[in-house]
Amino acid sequence: MNDVNDLLGLWMRGELTEKELRDWAERAAPRFVPDTRDLDAYAEWELRSRRFASTLTSWLEKAQDADLEESLRTYTGVCAVGRALGVMAIAKPSFWLGHHLLMANRPAAAVPALEDAVAGLSELADEADMELAARDALIDALTDVGRTKEAWAQTEAFSDRSRALGHQVYEAAALRQRGRLIARLGMGDPLPALRQAVELRRGLEPPPEWLTRKMGEFLEPLGRLARERGSYLEAMNAFMEWADLDPDPAIRARVTSELGHTCLRASEGDRGASYLQEAAEQARHADDERGARLWEMQSAVALGRPFDATVIETAVTSETEAYEASALASALAEAKRVEDAAPVARRVLVWAQQHRNTELEINMRSVLAEDAMRRDDPATAIRLLHRAIYLADRFGWQAHGVGLRYNLTRAFLRNRNGGDAFEVAKTGIAWSQTHQSTAPSSEERQQIAAAAVPLYEVYARLTAESQPANFMAATEHSRAENLLLWAVQSDLTGGSLPEEADRLLNDLRALEVEQEVLHMARTVELEGSIKRDERRQELLAELRGLLGETADSVLLPRSHRPQPLESAAELVGTSQPATSVVYLYATFDGVCVAVIADTAEPDRVSGHFVSWPRTERDKLFSEWRQKLPDGSRNLEQLLHGGPPDARGRALSATAVEQMVRGLDQYLVKPLHDLLSPLTGHDLIVIPHGELTLAPLWGLLDTASPGHAMTLAPSMALLRQCLGRDRSAEGGVVTVPDATGSLDHVPTELLAVSRWTADLPGDCAARSVATFEQLVTAAREARLLHVSAHGVHDESNPYWSGLVCAADQAPYRVISRYLNYSGFSDRKDPDGYRLLTVAECMAELRLRACRLAVLSACQSGVSRLHGAGEMTGLPAAMLIGGARSVVATLWHVSDAASTILMHHFYSYLDYSADDWHPAKALARARRRLATTSREEAIEILGGEKGVPTGDPPFTHPKYTDAFQCYGAP
């Protein structure tokens, strides 16, 4: 039996063992004849050798088209036979054997095969591509079996060899391996190496026959490691680029799930759930039912919805299976099914420790700690979490570190160790503040702050009653940092900076807003994202070149950020006569409250805690949000034949009553004793979380009826607004209803004109119709008054806005990206369009503005965000430079709004240094409630829109919709 085909045929049929095959091959192989003088013998040896090698090659070709198991057996047989010809003869089959063993998740068996491949291929001058691919695969195999130090040595050799052979595509692969191993070995930050790998690989197009990695294999580790280190925006961009490049439906489903997990890690629950649901649909189209079920379950968990209780099979034999099982365990734990999550987590933990996968080990230790807490074993939870935190800190997984510290504080509290819980919370918050202050983009600042919110909540619970001033100062960092930064920059550009720096800062803010708009809308595309990042770097470089050493103080001014302190005086800033501050912070089990009874004595701070668990709050506020009409769906109907007396579809009286009763029961009454001493004072309320959506007039009615109330996203932003010195000079700008469907708007604007007539000097109100006109006129306006339809888009707050006349000019930076919910992106046939929050934030300048009044539906509704950002029209106006803003929380009656504004302007004191809009609004609110039917008809010039009853507008649906934001 000397024929190689016969030998391999017997092997493939299982009739020979591998040892028997090797022995027969040794006997069948041609023997080398060293005496070249015997030409006939030498020629015979050479001919037989070529036939032998040719036969092996034909079997290799057969293996290319076989299934995985048959290919593995073929390559194993070819390698066994080829050893008879020497190491170079088995180089290629060893490569393919190692490659297929890796595909079969058998890295330990792949290592010797790939070592043989590297040794043989390095001797073959014409196989550089395969040699380098073998080196790359060998590093994977060594890493998978935990031989990371050997993998590092091979990576150095791989890099050197790639450079020596001049193959840049493999140089990029070596950088990729370097980054992955830096992360595995805890040798520093892996992202620079991975970024270099991606940049180098992005510009290369290797020949199709080459064995190099696809671009997705470079982007995947960059995305995952960026996510784990808290660089969420970079992770999103990496995964989006991968999705754009890979047409495989199964791969696209996996990438979409990575986008979802990144959003969830960044506390963007709704957005993450949407991506995961999309991933499930893509997986189903790709016949991946297991993936579809997994991602559907994760989406349901993120939204707090029930899901199929059947646990998905979770074998853990490969990295892909380990990550899927990890996601399953985390989802089950999030859904409070820790008893189901624990066995899955144990299997993943074993795999992660065997393969030195730090990321998965950290995740699964966190899940098992939750299980220990469920079993009332906090000591075990503490041990698990200490080890996880050690790994997270050592390997630079900052995002993990924050969440783990929150879990550790819970374990310490369960173990009745409040002191250690406090110290852990402080450590995590300090990390968050450091990284927040140096984050390069607005979205990353938001994501870092959102990730740290649970720690702030623990800190608040531990300090609100005993150290209320420190509680206020610390939690300020989790409130509207982007809004504050942009407001500070807006004030800096009002005259203290060169004109060119002013322009560059405005362009930079517009770029950041644009990026957030696109991410919220999930319409980011690779080319545009790269161009925006390049443009951003250009703007930063220009600013630094222009401003020199002062650039950092402008780009990330620290003077506005209060540090933890023992006194609240720095937080309050300018004292207001007879004014009190009520500082609210929503936590997992209630609302922490700090009260400064008099801003003239800011060190006198009292603290309190109101028990109101988040589950109860969520019930009240989710019902409230569901009852708020969706302006994005109803605007077209309204504008084309809707009810005449509406600046949007009306909110039911019952919904408002339910919200007011809930606030009274859970918040106002429990604070009665704390608020009672504030009688005779105006209130500044700093709400937080879902409380920013609530009508908080009940606090004023309890504490100091007859006085005023204003709201601010944070104390620091309030201080910024108070510091805005607005001149008494300047024009008055009005924006009327562009649709002609609001009957009482002319009457309302008449009240503005009458008030304007009493101003000193020539200050006639100027009416503008389009955004182009508004941008120009608003620069010098001290009062801006909008009487129009308003829209709040729950899915994307940047698409919320006000209806105005369509521009004749081409659309600007932001508007061309927006979905106007039925509006054309050209001039609408009816002559109007939506003036969006995004456009206002990016382009509206209100540097002379004392007051902006947004008399439109839902103009004060903001986005709920974990970082405390209040993305909405009030925020846009405050960023633009307005000192104060008056806006609404729901859809308001045209008639009631007109009467309220009539009273408001009668009380607004134009002769004072400060107009005190909060006082004027509070008095107008009380006056509206007592306005008789006769007086209402007289003001309106008819009874259209006036409800039955006398007085007709006593219900809080009418009186409590408007609120004042910013300076009082």
Side-chain angles (χ1 to χ4, degrees):
M1 186 174 55
N2 295 326
D3 187 82
V4 177
N5 276 311
D6 292 339
L7 283 173
L8 288 172
L10 291 170
W11 160 255
M12 293 300 294
R13 292 193 296 273
E15 297 178 24
L16 287 178
T17 66
E18 188 173 347
K19 183 178 184 306
E20 290 172 331
L21 178 63
R22 284 199 302 269
D23 290 343
W24 276 107
E26 285 290 335
R27 291 195 291 272
R31 290 287 173 260
F32 176 65
V33 179
D35 188 359
T36 56
R37 290 173 297 178
D38 187 348
L39 296 179
D40 290 339
Y42 185 85
E44 174 67 18
W45 169 81
E46 187 176 32
L47 179 62
R48 291 189 63 202
S49 295
R50 287 179 179 175
R51 286 175 179 171
F52 200 98
S54 177
T55 302
L56 295 183
T57 300
S58 68
W59 279 88
L60 285 178
E61 291 172 351
K62 290 179 186 178
Q64 298 292 328
D65 299 323
D67 62 31
L68 181 60
E69 288 304 318
E70 186 178 345
S71 294
L72 281 173
R73 190 162 183 83
T74 303
Y75 291 132
T76 302
V78 170
C79 285
V81 173
R83 286 184 185 279
L85 291 179
V87 69
M88 285 188 287
I90 64 167
K92 288 184 179 181
S94 292
F95 169 76
W96 289 114
L97 175 60
H99 175 75
H100 280 72
L101 285 167
L102 279 177
M103 290 174 59
N105 194 34
R106 293 167 58 187
V111 169
L114 290 167
E115 287 175 335
D116 285 344
V118 169
L121 291 167
S122 61
E123 300 295 326
L124 300 175
D126 58 345
E127 296 294 345
D129 169 47
M130 186 173 284
E131 177 204 337
L132 295 173
R135 290 180 181 276
D136 198 6
L138 176 59
I139 295 166
D140 279 346
L142 290 168
T143 303
D144 286 347
V145 297
R147 293 162 62 178
T148 47
K149 290 185 179 179
E150 293 175 67
W152 180 262
Q154 288 290 340
T155 299
E156 295 297 292
F158 180 30
S159 179
D160 292 343
R161 185 68 171 157
S162 299
R163 283 196 296 270
L165 293 172
H167 286 321
Q168 285 190 313
V169 70
Y170 286 107
E171 286 185 51
L175 284 167
R176 171 189 175 275
Q177 295 286 21
R178 183 190 297 274
R180 294 174 70 239
L181 285 166
I182 286 173
R184 286 284 180 95
L185 294 168
M187 296 170 60
D189 185 357
L191 294 182
L194 291 170
R195 290 178 190 129
Q196 290 178 47
V198 167
E199 286 303 316
L200 184 56
R201 178 64 179 80
R202 185 182 281 132
L204 300 173
E205 287 296 334
E209 67 274 11
W210 278 28
L211 302 169
T212 186
R213 297 178 184 275
K214 294 182 179 179
M215 187 64 182
E217 295 179 81
F218 290 80
L219 292 165
E220 181 178 21
L222 176 61
R224 281 185 171 172
L225 290 168
R227 178 175 64 206
E228 301 314 320
R229 300 180 76 83
S231 298
Y232 301 117
L233 183 59
E234 182 172 14
M236 293 289 287
N237 285 336
F239 291 133
M240 285 178 175
E241 181 175 354
W242 185 12
D244 285 344
L245 292 174
D246 204 315
D248 185 334
I251 295 294
R252 291 181 72 88
R254 200 170 107 221
V255 178
T256 304
S257 77
E258 295 286 5
L259 289 167
H261 295 146
T262 305
C263 290
L264 293 181
R265 184 65 60 81
S267 300
E268 292 275 5
D270 290 348
R271 193 167 153 207
S274 177
Y275 274 120
L276 288 168
Q277 184 58 45
E278 183 180 338
E281 293 167 3
Q282 292 172 336
R284 197 155 275 126
H285 286 307
D287 296 325
D288 179 9
E289 186 59 29
R290 185 176 182 276
R293 288 180 56 209
L294 175 64
W295 294 322
E296 278 179 342
M297 183 187 70
Q298 292 172 335
S299 176
V301 169
L303 295 172
R305 296 173 181 167
F307 57 88
D308 183 2
T310 304
V311 176
I312 301 167
E313 290 297 321
T314 53
V316 182
T317 59
S318 68
E319 184 176 62
T320 298
E321 289 174 345
Y323 272 97
E324 288 181 351
S326 169
L328 172 62
S330 298
L332 289 167
E334 184 72 20
K336 310 304 181 188
R337 289 177 51 186
V338 184
E339 66 279 8
D340 291 330
V344 181
R346 290 190 187 96
R347 289 197 290 275
V348 178
L349 181 60
V350 170
W351 185 93
Q353 290 175 324
Q354 289 174 345
H355 295 81
R356 298 189 66 173
N357 189 307
T358 308
E359 175 190 355
L360 293 183
E361 181 176 352
I362 291 170
N363 282 339
M364 294 305 95
R365 284 183 175 277
S366 181
V367 172
L368 292 172
E370 286 293 327
D371 183 56
M373 296 277 280
R374 177 187 64 84
R375 294 183 283 103
D376 199 22
D377 185 5
T380 296
I382 289 169
R383 285 197 300 274
L384 285 163
L385 291 167
H386 268 308
R387 174 63 179 173
I389 289 171
Y390 164 77
L391 291 172
D393 289 348
R394 177 186 169 191
F395 288 89
W397 308 117
Q398 291 98 331
H400 277 300
V402 173
L404 291 167
R405 284 181 169 84
Y406 167 64
N407 290 335
L408 184 58
T409 61
R410 291 171 52 233
F412 276 130
L413 290 173
R414 180 75 68 87
N415 212 32
R416 292 183 170 82
N417 193 338
D420 283 344
F422 178 74
E423 291 303 318
V424 171
K426 276 206 312 184
T427 302
I429 287 172
W431 174 90
S432 171
Q433 292 175 354
T434 298
H435 287 266
Q436 204 173 336
S437 65
T438 57
S441 71
S442 61
E443 187 156 2
E444 288 190 52
R445 287 192 292 273
Q446 290 184 46
Q447 291 163 343
I448 292 169
V453 163
L455 282 174
Y456 281 105
E457 292 183 3
V458 171
Y459 186 94
R461 283 292 285 114
L462 293 172
T463 59
E465 295 177 284
S466 60
Q467 305 172 50
N470 277 349
F471 148 62
M472 292 174 68
T475 54
E476 275 287 291
H477 287 267
S478 65
R479 292 177 180 266
E481 283 282 280
N482 274 342
L483 172 54
L484 175 60
L485 176 61
W486 285 340
V488 171
Q489 290 178 343
S490 178
D491 290 345
L492 288 173
T493 59
S496 60
L497 292 179
E499 185 176 343
E500 180 62 12
D502 188 335
R503 182 191 66 77
L504 292 172
L505 270 177
N506 290 340
D507 287 351
L508 184 62
R509 177 163 59 253
L511 202 64
E512 292 198 335
V513 171
E514 178 182 346
Q515 184 75 4
E516 289 192 41
V517 170
L518 296 174
H519 272 294
M520 284 291 295
R522 295 178 50 193
T523 56
V524 176
E525 29 67 45
L526 172 62
E527 184 178 357
S529 183
I530 293 173
K531 287 182 178 179
R532 280 187 295 277
D533 187 61
E534 290 174 350
R535 177 59 180 152
R536 182 173 160 276
Q537 296 302 326
E538 291 172 2
L539 291 170
L540 288 171
E542 288 184 61
L543 273 166
R544 294 186 187 282
L546 186 65
L547 299 176
E549 295 179 356
T550 64
D552 284 339
S553 65
V554 174
L555 293 169
L556 286 170
R558 292 172 178 263
S559 60
H560 68 282
R561 287 195 173 95
Q563 303 301 315
L565 35 77
E566 296 180 359
S567 168
E570 187 180 344
L571 284 176
V572 174
T574 306
S575 66
Q576 302 293 301
T579 301
S580 302
V581 175
V582 178
Y583 187 94
L584 307 173
Y585 199 85
T587 70
F588 49 90
D589 59 347
V591 180
C592 296
V593 185
V595 172
I596 301 176
D598 192 334
T599 57
E601 300 179 80
D603 291 334
R604 292 177 53 193
V605 187
S606 54
H608 191 71
F609 174 73
V610 176
S611 179
W612 189 6
R614 179 166 283 136
T615 52
E616 294 296 324
R617 296 201 309 273
D618 286 347
K619 183 179 178 181
L620 177 65
F621 280 91
S622 63
E623 291 177 358
W624 168 253
R625 293 173 70 183
Q626 289 170 9
K627 291 174 182 176
L628 287 174
D630 187 344
S632 64
R633 291 200 304 266
N634 297 313
L635 183 60
E636 282 295 295
Q637 178 184 352
L638 169 70
L639 296 178
H640 298 289
D645 180 47
R647 301 190 182 187
R649 198 180 76 186
L651 180 67
S652 73
T654 304
V656 177
E657 287 173 6
Q658 183 178 352
M659 172 55 73
V660 171
R661 280 198 306 269
L663 290 169
D664 188 62
Q665 175 185 349
Y666 292 110
L667 183 65
V668 177
K669 284 183 178 177
L671 290 177
H672 180 273
D673 292 343
L674 197 66
L675 297 175
S676 295
L678 308 183
T679 300
H681 281 205
D682 295 330
L683 289 191
I684 294 172
V685 179
I686 314 294
H688 176 253
E690 58 270 25
L691 296 176
T692 59
L693 300 177
L696 296 175
W697 288 104
L699 295 173
L700 180 68
D701 293 340
T702 297
S704 192
H707 287 265
M709 179 182 74
T710 191
L711 293 86
S714 68
M715 290 292 291
L717 186 63
L718 170 70
R719 187 176 58 188
Q720 193 69 31
C721 292
L722 289 171
R724 287 174 170 167
D725 184 15
R726 297 295 182 245
S727 169
E729 299 179 359
V732 175
V733 175
T734 62
V735 181
D737 169 36
T739 71
S741 60
L742 298 175
D743 294 328
H744 298 302
V745 162
T747 303
E748 181 174 312
L749 295 179
L750 182 61
V752 180
S753 297
R754 287 172 178 165
W755 180 82
T756 304
D758 292 330
L759 293 175
D762 183 12
C763 292
R766 176 186 175 187
S767 177
V768 298
T770 70
F771 182 48
E772 287 287 332
Q773 295 169 354
L774 176 61
V775 167
T776 301
R779 293 184 183 129
E780 305 301 327
R782 54 176 146 173
L783 170 68
L784 170 64
H785 184 103
V786 180
S787 297
H789 287 290
V791 175
H792 173 69
D793 192 313
E794 185 68 22
S795 66
N796 191 332
Y798 293 100
W799 290 346
S800 302
L802 305 164
V803 179
C804 68
D807 293 322
Q808 299 295 329
Y811 277 24
R812 299 164 67 88
V813 172
I814 299 297
S815 57
R816 66 179 181 271
Y817 296 103
L818 301 181
N819 171 9
Y820 289 124
S821 305
F823 288 90
S824 167
D825 64 355
R826 298 294 179 186
K827 183 176 178 181
D828 190 271
D830 293 314
Y832 46 76
R833 74 166 178 97
L834 199 62
L835 164 57
T836 64
V837 167
E839 291 173 294
C840 293
M841 290 178 75
E843 302 181 43
L844 198 58
R845 299 291 165 262
L846 299 167
R847 293 170 184 154
C849 187
R850 287 188 170 194
L851 173 63
V853 178
L854 309 179
S855 181
C857 287
Q858 294 184 295
S859 58
V861 181
S862 299
R863 170 195 184 197
L864 277 180
H865 188 275
E869 299 292 342
M870 288 177 61
T871 305
L873 286 167
M877 298 297 148
L878 294 175
I879 288 171
R883 195 171 190 270
S884 307
V885 180
V886 171
T888 66
L889 287 178
W890 53 77
H891 287 71
V892 292
S893 157
D894 186 22
S897 299
T898 296
I899 294 172
L900 181 79
M901 286 293 110
H902 173 87
H903 296 318
F904 174 78
Y905 281 102
S906 70
Y907 294 130
L908 193 63
D909 188 359
Y910 65 85
S911 63
D913 290 338
D914 192 341
W915 294 346
H916 298 293
K919 291 182 180 179
L921 180 62
R923 294 179 68 183
R925 169 181 175 256
R926 294 189 293 273
R927 185 75 177 83
L928 175 64
T930 60
T931 298
S932 68
R933 183 176 182 80
E934 180 181 358
E935 184 183 6
I937 292 172
E938 181 182 350
I939 292 171
L940 297 173
E943 61 181 13
K944 188 173 184 179
V946 180
T948 58
D950 196 7
F953 297 109
T954 58
H955 197 279
K957 168 186 173 180
Y958 302 115
T959 60
D960 290 4
F962 284 81
Q963 296 194 126
C964 184
Y965 302 86

